[in-house]
Amino acid sequence: MTTWEPPVPALSVRQVLALERVLAGEPEVVAGAARLDRPVRWVHVAEAADVGVMLSGGEMVLTTGVLLAGDEHKQTEYVRSLHRAEASAVVLGLGRAFPSPPEAMRRAAERCQLPLVVLHRPFPFAQLTEEVQSRLVRRKFAAVSLSETVRTELTALITGGAPLQRLLDETARHSGCPVVLTNLAHRVLGTAGERSAVDDVLRDWERIARQAGRSEGDGWIRAELGGRGEPWGRLVLCGYRGDTETGRLLADRAAEALVLHRMLGGADCSWEGQSALSLLTDLVGGAVPARHLLPRARAAGLPVNRRTFVPLVVRGHRAAPLDRTLRLLGLPGIAGELSATVTAVLLSLARDQDAEALTAHFAARLRSEPADGPVVVAAAAARAAFDDVPAGLREARHVADAVADDAAALDLPPVVRLRDVHLRGLVRLLRDDPQVQSFAERELSGLLRDPGEDLLPVLRTYLATGRNKSRTAQLHHVSRPALYRRLEAIQIRLGVDLDDFEQAASLHIALLAHDAQQR
């Protein structure tokens, strides 16, 4: 892929006057000097007094004024006509009709704030027309080339199954400025660009969103996203340094690609979910300090000022049902799937709300909903500072992982906390210790050498239920005599007495360590 260089910005009146060929005519701005940054869309040579009716806006009009000489009314009306037609400027060559700038035209141009430029030396208008037109054509070609390049590259990414972030990154690379994707409520769904520049934009996103929603200017260019006449999002180029026309073309091509990406993603393609997952993943990972993620969290719609944060990890439910439950209960928060079986949730509650009671209510609602297996809701202690959220999410995940293997057998509270995992939590923390690994292998070697008889799961359940034979038989769907035979086989294989508390405890610790290592 080639790196695109931004095209030369649209020529302004000021830039045209600075061209070498124009400087040879000794140009002088006699009116409208404050509007010299107007863009020049075209250059038009015209002597007719009613030239305004032939213009469509943005033209720089060149004239000798031969049809205006001696008639101040015509001179004034000529300027007004150009102003009504939204011409960018008028250039008057002195010599043939006017030896000096006509005062009537100057006054009219000043009132209209239309740049009036006089050339003191004879100047072939054809040279200026040729110079400006060639530059404008080259600029137009560059814009069209950019459009096709962006369309081709983004389409290739989509057909290759690239995620949303890749499309945004490619758009930011072409635009050379931060790119923000939002829904209609201005909630940020994705960003791309240099991190520091993106953070600067997100810190003031509330004001920027209102500005971007009203009008374009100073490089803020937006493109609407939608289908079948219904808008559902917006792409914003924040501080685009090229000309507005090219930036709008780039934004439109990117918007088309994003709409296609969403359509091909189907019901499973939730940009809100991807946004939440990206934020939660960065929080859990800890590579980026939490305070640096605050602008993203705020822009994503998560309340962050004077809030209590409750980090949760849920096993047994996907992110989409969790999102629905949060909305149903009116709980501000975000959810994102860290893996196929693990979903992180971050609640953001008002300081005067009962965090523990609301967390319990949320967990009870989840456990009452249909699920493929046992639902585990693990929580860390509520955090008053956003900087403490990453540690809380990691603690909640540790708790959820510690009880994951035996969730069906354990008598777990609706919300599992660190104090509830006891020994299995400690063993999981020590799982990578070589001595712990060696201990687990030594204690269970008789079963690990020949796992074909499926005795290890029976031992796991038997110990997890507190050596409750009836409960173990029920969970494994076998009769009591059949269970007794399996327990006898386990004792023979391992050379232990399962009725001996110390030996059973040793096996239980070894199993916890083995399962933690396998996970």
Side-chain angles (χ1 to χ4, degrees), residues 30-32 72-73 75-77 79-80 101-114 116:
V30 298
E72 291 190 355
H73 175 72
Q75 295 166 20
T76 300
E77 185 54 35
V79 172
R80 289 175 177 170
E103 185 62 21
M105 290 184 69
R106 191 198 67 76
R107 288 196 305 268
E110 195 64 54
R111 283 195 298 270
C112 296
Q113 281 298 290
L114 174 70
L116 172 61

Side-chain angles (χ1 to χ4, degrees), residues 368-507:
S368 69
E369 295 175 353
D372 295 333
V375 175
V376 175
V377 181
R383 263 61 177 171
F386 194 74
D387 281 350
D388 297 331
V389 167
L393 286 169
R394 289 191 288 271
E395 177 185 315
R397 180 156 193 180
H398 164 68
V399 172
D401 288 346
V403 299
D405 292 317
D406 300 315
L410 297 174
D411 183 19
L412 298 174
V415 180
V416 188
R417 301 183 184 276
L418 191 60
R419 61 177 179 266
D420 300 315
V421 297
H422 305 297
L423 177 63
R424 66 180 57 246
L426 174 64
V427 170
R428 189 177 184 281
L429 286 176
L430 301 174
R431 62 181 176 177
D432 294 327
D433 187 295
Q435 293 184 356
V436 173
Q437 295 174 359
S438 177
F439 168 77
E441 291 287 330
R442 184 172 60 252
E443 290 289 300
L444 301 173
S445 61
L447 298 182
L448 297 177
R449 284 197 303 267
D450 183 16
E453 294 184 45
D454 207 26
L455 296 177
L456 199 64
V458 173
L459 177 62
R460 181 184 294 110
T461 304
Y462 179 65
L463 296 174
T465 57
R467 296 184 292 175
N468 186 321
K469 294 183 177 65
S470 297
R471 179 64 174 154
T472 301
Q474 179 185 12
L475 290 172
H476 284 273
H477 308 289
V478 297
S479 64
R480 289 283 292 269
L483 175 66
Y484 295 155
R485 288 193 296 271
R486 294 186 186 185
L487 293 177
E488 182 66 25
I490 290 172
Q491 294 183 107
I492 294 173
R493 290 280 194 89
L494 299 180
V496 298
D497 180 2
L498 291 178
D499 290 329
D500 183 279
F501 175 78
E502 184 174 343
Q503 294 183 53
S506 181
L507 284 176

Side-chain angles (χ1 to χ4, degrees), residues 252-429:
D252 287 343
R253 293 295 84 78
E256 291 172 3
L258 292 174
V259 171
L260 178 61
H261 181 275
R262 185 171 177 122
M263 289 173 58
L264 294 178
D268 294 333
C269 181
S270 166
W271 288 354
E272 288 81 357
Q274 292 181 44
S275 172
L277 173 60
S278 174
L279 176 59
L280 288 167
T281 300
D282 285 346
L283 284 169
V284 172
V288 181
R291 62 182 177 277
H292 293 167
L293 298 174
L294 257 177
R296 281 176 55 191
R298 185 183 294 109
L302 185 72
V304 295
N305 295 329
R306 298 182 57 79
R307 307 292 289 187
T308 297
F309 302 99
V310 182
L312 304 170
V313 167
V314 179
R315 284 184 172 274
H317 271 301
R318 305 295 296 269
L322 292 181
D323 271 332
R324 288 195 295 269
T325 303
L326 287 174
R327 290 195 296 270
L328 185 65
L329 298 179
L331 293 175
I334 55 175
E337 294 177 11
L338 302 181
S339 70
T341 58
V342 178
T343 300
V345 180
L346 180 60
L347 301 181
S348 175
L349 306 176
R351 292 281 175 88
D352 59 352
Q353 290 181 293
D354 188 335
E356 192 158 336
L358 288 174
T359 303
H361 183 45
F362 176 63
R365 183 61 182 252
L366 290 181
R367 292 164 71 95
S368 69
E369 295 175 353
D372 295 333
V375 175
V376 175
V377 181
R383 263 61 177 171
F386 194 74
D387 281 350
D388 297 331
V389 167
L393 286 169
R394 289 191 288 271
E395 177 185 315
R397 180 156 193 180
H398 164 68
V399 172
D401 288 346
V403 299
D405 292 317
D406 300 315
L410 297 174
D411 183 19
L412 298 174
V415 180
V416 188
R417 301 183 184 276
L418 191 60
R419 61 177 179 266
D420 300 315
V421 297
H422 305 297
L423 177 63
R424 66 180 57 246
L426 174 64
V427 170
R428 189 177 184 281
L429 286 176

